[in-house]
Amino acid sequence: MAKDEQLAANQAEWASKLADKVLPRSPERDTDFTTESGLEVERLYTPLDLASLDYQKDLGFPGDYPFTRGVQPTMYRGRFWTMRQYAGYADAEETNARFRYLLDQGQTGLSVAFDLPTQIGLDSDHQLSRGEVGRVGVAIDSLADMELLFKSIPLDKVSTSMTINAPAVVLLAMYIAVAEKQNVDVKKISGTIQNDILKEYVARGTYIFPPAPSMRLITDTFAYCAENLPDWNPISISGYHIREAGSNAVQEMAFTLADGIAYVEAALKVGLDVDVFAPRLSFFFNAHKNFFEEVAKYRALRRMWAKIMRERFGAKNPKSLMLRFHTQTGGSTLTAQQPDVNVVRVAFQALSAVLGGTQSLHTNSKDEALALPTEESARLALRTQQVIAYETGVTDTVDPLAGSYFVENLTSQLETRAWEYIDKIDQLGGAVAAIETGYMQREIQESAYKYQQDIENIERIVVGVNKFQIVEERHDGLLRVDPNIAEKQVARLQQVKSGRDNRAAASALVKLRSVAGTTENVMPYIIAAVRVYATLGEICGVLRDVYGEYKPTATI
Amino acid sequence: MNDPIRVLVAKPGLDGHDRGAKVVAQALRNAGMEVIYTGLRQTPEQIVETAVQEDVKVIGLSSLSGAHMQLFPAVVDILRQQGAGDIMVVGGGVIPEDDIPYLKGCGIAEVFTPGTSTKSIAEYIKKQFQSDGFTLSRIDHIGIAVPDLATSLDFYTRILGLNCTAIEEVADQQVKVAFVPLGDSELELLEPTSPDSPVAKFLAAKGPGMHHVAYRVTDLGLALSSLKAQGVRFLDEQPRTGAGGALIAFVHPKASGGVLTELCQRTTAEG
């Protein structure tokens, strides 16, 4: 006590000396310093700022509740995070080549980018697929494409993350069917489907069905994976896209955790045991620009999820309490101007994710504000992670920023602010209600607009964009997707349809239709349908008939 | 004064990235425009239908998925088929520089790439609609003050090889005008017919040489009211008939940096 009082007195004396003597002569750069979320940043942090911190209760030990310091006891001293670069474009053949290249370069997990028709459950020959086939990811119409995608990649030797949401059940079914064809024990396959529909309504836009049946498909995957795929994460609850849509760090935290709460509640409602499905829930966050705020964000998130699972849902299995997450550096922070500078941005962002204890990481390529990444720039992005892992030494001790007066203070402040949002969402009736009324969308839109205004008013500096600009040469050497890819893909689809047992496919679809409206788990029926080469569009077509389609109300 | 510009911000194709579209929509609204946002997943047909129904002047297309090369031109084509080709189409998103000439060739008026400020987009659109009918389409003619038409015509026709198509006397300006067409515009050689003529006074003060520049406008009345609203002074408060039957008005030289400037509307359809 006396020690703190003495320190407080000393600090006050230091501050008044500063105000009298130093500041009049050399004023500070600004009157207010804030984080990206608008949290005030003080000139100096001291032990006084940690006075209310209880080490055991608030931080604990790595691998133990509340997991602030990490989910594993030894963290990166045991094993580095999974280096997982999101990749996919054109058709399955080309993407398979990129996958094998990345694995050869030392990447340790796969991450599949699907094109938009696939993400929206449309076949490549659908009228709405015009112009979109193979553009932002690989086109998958049927099991035949999926077999090509993983050709010569044994599925028991690699973990695969699939960015797929509304039709996640179908792509997971195809993955299982490929494993069967490769004679791999299905219990040995590991990976993740994103399967997070709520953030699609809010931020990413690849929804198909309305919320209620979508939530039901998700709980079906929870149940199926818990029983059959012990190493599979049936969901990756994603703040990444919420942040990309323009939210700040606090909103990213709160909206993601609120979505997580909604999924847990939905699973409990259909009778699943929390300690059976919760250990496989995984998360996905953004690594944005404000370095310390990002590090603090991951630490606060772990602490909050542990509390939510234990206190709100009564989970007992320690694995149910752990927030395990993938991170991607912030795509919207990349600039088209002076793109080489993006390499530096990505490195700092990736470092924040590592210091925040991520389980898996994607580093963006420098050319992604201009086009899909080339092989060369994707390699440099991977090398950036490898430098952090192998050269910087930041991986040699667990949670190295713990105890920093500033970082601990920021961690607690972010937590407080995020709880306020979660309380507000609870009052609105939970995440689904908050989304249906447009609450989250409006909050994000406001932050996005303010962010852009701050850049245009030069209140926020973006190097090379509103300061330090140069006259630039045109950017050459961008990746071009073959414009004939759609024709090629449609031809393959037709070939599959004419080569398959059409009666078997039709009968599998009829069976699926008969259970889709009941409470029976649809997974086995979808697996049966993909095995006989029913297409993604056909399967989702059946589900569209039964469930209807989501029609958003535009909110601006 | 003017009705606000109506803009349709649209997301063609399946792309779900609407942060940019929404931020631009809000910025244009704050810049005084009336903005309608389509929401996601619009076909080119749906976008054109909404644009026509909502009677917009501008469509702003946003795509970050790489489908712009097919979807942007499709919107322009359908607009033209529906007789709504006067609606201006602009686009933005992750669009490589190499694609821009093709898009412009297809009729996309402007392409805004990442890093463009919302202010510059708003300014661009406003500029296109600043004052209807008052687009300067070309240099109509250059007036040259000469003491003696015959001597000057010898230079322009015999030596430079141009043709004089007519010589006309404009009584109220006390001037004789020789018309020498050149490409899209022409030279007008001006010889005073009386010492009180404005051209005579010009010759006395400055000697022979460039007298004025005339810009072609499609609607002189609108051009006058628009420029006056912006504080530009005129020698002619109302349009009057000039040489060759054109409707003309002279801007006060103090408003145009000492260059005597004429605005000129031809009654023929061309221009």
Side-chain angles (χ1 to χ4, degrees), chain A residues 71 84 160-162 191-196 199 222 231-240 256-257 259-261 263-264 277-285 305 309 319-327 359-360:
Chain A
V71 292
R84 196 190 290 282
T160 303
S161 167
M162 293 190 271
T192 307
I193 40 175
Q194 197 162 75
N195 207 18
D196 169 12
K199 65 89 176 59
F222 285 8
D231 291 332
W232 196 271
N233 302 314
I235 195 165
S236 172
I237 307 163
S238 305
Y240 179 82
T256 311
L257 294 179
D259 287 351
I261 290 168
Y263 293 124
V264 173
F277 70 85
R280 299 302 321 171
L281 301 179
S282 66
F283 288 82
F284 175 20
F285 294 105
W305 187 245
M309 292 310 291
K319 288 204 156 78
S320 303
L321 313 179
M322 291 178 191
L323 179 133
R324 296 172 299 118
F325 68 102
H326 172 68
T327 310
Q359 275 58 63
S360 157

Side-chain angles (χ1 to χ4, degrees), chain A residues 116-117 120 122 127-132 135-136 200 202-208 243-247 288 332 334-337 368-372 441 445-449 451-453 456-457 465 473-476 478 480 483 544 549-550 552 554-556, chain B residues 9 12-31 35-46 63-71 74 78 93-101 113-121:
Chain A
L116 286 166
I120 293 168
L122 303 172
Q127 200 227 340
L128 285 172
S129 303
R130 176 172 38 157
E132 306 279 14
R135 290 283 165 191
V136 301
E200 295 295 328
V202 177
R204 194 168 171 277
T206 68
Y207 41 73
I208 305 176
R243 191 67 177 276
E244 286 296 292
S247 86
H288 216 268
S332 60
L334 301 175
T335 63
Q337 294 73 21
E368 289 187 69
L370 301 162
L372 289 182
Q441 294 91 319
Q445 165 68 7
E446 264 174 45
S447 294
Y449 191 67
Y451 190 91
Q452 179 64 22
Q453 292 307 304
E456 295 190 12
N457 300 330
V465 173
E473 306 272 301
R474 44 195 305 122
H475 308 292
D476 290 329
L478 297 178
R480 284 265 165 203
R544 276 186 169 94
E549 291 191 57
Y550 178 70
T555 50
I556 57 154
Chain B
V9 173
L14 303 178
D15 177 34
H17 296 90
D18 59 357
R19 174 180 182 167
K22 285 174 164 178
V23 166
V24 169
Q26 197 173 337
L28 297 182
R29 197 173 280 166
N30 290 349
V35 184
I36 301 129
Y37 173 53
T38 59
L40 302 180
R41 286 191 215 169
Q42 302 289 306
T43 61
E45 290 81 1
Q46 288 171 316
S63 172
L64 286 75
S65 71
H68 53 269
M69 293 294 267
Q70 270 161 289
L71 298 178
I78 299 167
V94 179
I95 296 172
E97 289 157 72
D98 287 354
D99 293 355
I100 294 175
T113 50
T116 308
S117 78
T118 57
K119 279 191 199 80
S120 63
I121 299 173

Side-chain angles (χ1 to χ4, degrees), chain A residues 48 73 79 87 92 103-104 115 118 131 143 155 235 276 278 280 297 350-351 361 364 393 405 430 473 480 521 537:
Chain A
L48 293 174
R79 180 175 90 69
L103 290 170
D104 284 347
D115 72 356
T118 306
L143 180 61
L155 296 193
I235 195 165
V276 170
R280 299 302 321 171
K297 178 182 80 179
L351 182 61
L361 179 61
N364 290 329
Y405 308 127
E473 306 272 301
R480 284 265 165 203
N521 197 320

